[in-house]
Amino acid sequence: MTPSNTQPQSTSPVASAAPGRSKAACWIEAMRLRTLPVSLSGIIAATALAIHFNTFRPLPVVICFIFATLAQIASNFANEYFDFRDGLDKKGRVGPRRGVTEGDITPRAMLRATFITLALAAATGCTLIVWGGWWLIAAGVAIILGALAYSAGPWPLSRHGLGEVAVVIFFGVAPVTLTYWLQAGNCPWQVWLTSVAIGLIGSNVLIVNNYRDREADAAVGKHTLAVIFGARFASTLYLVNAIVAVALMAPVWGAVNDIAIPAIYILANIRCWKELRTVPKNELTGLLAKTSVLMLTYTVLFLISATL
């Protein structure tokens, strides 16, 4: 059960940025730019596969990048608004500053920004009909609903232990398969394996976030995997995800004649895993950013290997 909907004094239509912080800085922080590599990495991985299979088409890839960025930002805005609305965020929380909770941004402005960004994402996605056909509207609606269902609706996924599953689907399977399909008109098995792998790597970013916040989440009834199964399970899952992801992509790495990069990636994840288990929770925001950058680096190097 989540707390009853309460809106304390921050719900006033007037909000001001904290001293020394501009309004623009508050909005940029609300976008959570550290998480953007999670959405972009799937597009990069699909592009690498398209180059490897000689099906690369640049224009739909660029549009997919724009759509993914807008959808990610909209999801972050929605998460901030709905977690505030339902009393799941408290002032002075560990991690990045929450603009709505701290009074930097009004709830009304955040909700409006959420739907404006979703509308921009939808408009961008509609241009892909040129390459994919009208059925892409259904796919786009599913992705937009997924962005909202993560934090909103009658059964928010992030509050019922399904946040990581949502990441695998909406930041792994969906972007990789759809981006590749828009270029090639098909999805071979290598694309499906890679899509799951990218989703697992992306879910590690959320695992760090939920590991850091597990005590605060438990206190307000937010049931993440770290809350349900404990810190040890969450930290172990972080390492398992990386190993399984590399194993799934082993045939693809072999096809591009590169086994050094996945080996280095595993070693880097082992170091991050050790850090996750030993660093104080109030310092884990740095590891969250590091995990996100590591994911982006992994897919960029995959793109380079596929190009050479």
Side-chain angles (χ1 to χ4, degrees):
M1 294 290 290
T2 56
S4 58
N5 295 354
T6 56
Q7 294 190 0
Q9 58 189 12
S10 307
T11 58
S12 166
V14 177
S16 58
R21 291 168 55 85
S22 68
K23 206 69 172 176
C26 295
W27 279 105
I28 290 172
E29 187 163 37
M31 292 178 184
R32 300 184 210 169
L33 300 182
R34 295 183 184 89
T35 66
L36 290 185
V38 179
S39 57
L40 300 183
S41 291
I43 314 298
I44 295 171
T47 302
L49 290 166
I51 291 173
H52 176 67
F53 288 115
N54 297 312
T55 59
F56 174 60
R57 302 176 74 175
L59 187 52
V61 169
V62 171
I63 296 173
C64 284
F65 268 115
I66 297 171
F67 174 82
T69 300
L70 291 170
Q72 173 77 70
I73 292 173
S75 179
N76 291 341
F77 284 168
N79 179 251
E80 181 154 337
Y81 170 79
F82 287 107
D83 277 4
F84 166 80
R85 187 200 68 178
D86 296 340
L88 300 182
D89 278 341
K90 305 297 181 184
K91 287 190 176 184
R93 67 186 293 278
V94 175
R97 183 181 178 90
R98 293 291 187 105
V100 177
T101 301
E102 300 293 343
D104 302 335
I105 301 170
T106 66
R108 182 180 300 174
M110 183 60 75
L111 185 61
R112 183 168 57 247
T114 299
F115 286 108
I116 289 174
T117 311
L118 283 174
L120 291 172
T124 301
C126 284
T127 64
L128 293 170
I129 292 172
V130 174
W131 293 274
W134 291 99
W135 74 271
L136 280 178
I137 293 178
V141 169
I143 291 171
I144 289 173
L145 290 178
L148 291 173
Y150 181 80
S151 305
W155 212 68
L157 300 176
S158 64
R159 305 175 197 174
H160 294 87
L162 292 175
E164 287 79 1
V165 175
V167 170
V168 172
I169 295 172
F170 292 106
F171 296 98
V173 176
V176 174
T177 57
L178 288 174
T179 302
Y180 185 86
W181 190 88
L182 284 165
Q183 298 174 81
N186 59 67
C187 275
W189 60 269
Q190 295 95 330
V191 175
W192 287 100
L193 289 181
T194 301
S195 72
V196 176
I198 296 301
L200 290 173
I201 294 172
S203 71
N204 274 356
V205 177
L206 183 60
I207 287 173
V208 176
N209 182 82
N210 292 342
Y211 185 97
R212 180 197 64 199
D213 297 342
R214 66 190 185 279
E215 294 176 3
D217 288 341
V220 296
K222 185 175 181 179
H223 303 296
T224 64
L225 288 184
V227 171
I228 296 170
F229 297 108
R232 178 173 295 182
F233 173 88
S235 63
T236 302
L237 184 61
Y238 181 94
L239 184 59
V240 169
N241 278 349
I243 294 172
V244 173
V246 168
L248 288 173
M249 288 186 65
V252 180
W253 281 112
V256 299
N257 299 314
D258 197 334
I259 59 172
I261 292 173
I264 293 171
Y265 174 76
I266 290 295
L267 292 175
N269 264 274
I270 291 174
R271 294 191 63 178
C272 289
W273 171 66
K274 290 179 179 179
E275 188 174 337
L276 179 64
R277 300 177 64 190
T278 57
V279 169
K281 66 178 182 179
N282 61 341
E283 298 177 16
L284 283 176
T285 300
L287 179 59
L288 190 153
K290 187 183 298 183
T291 301
S292 183
V293 170
L294 185 59
M295 178 182 186
L296 182 63
T297 303
Y298 177 79
T299 53
V300 168
L301 291 176
F302 178 44
L303 176 62
I304 294 171
S305 295
T307 305
L308 296 178

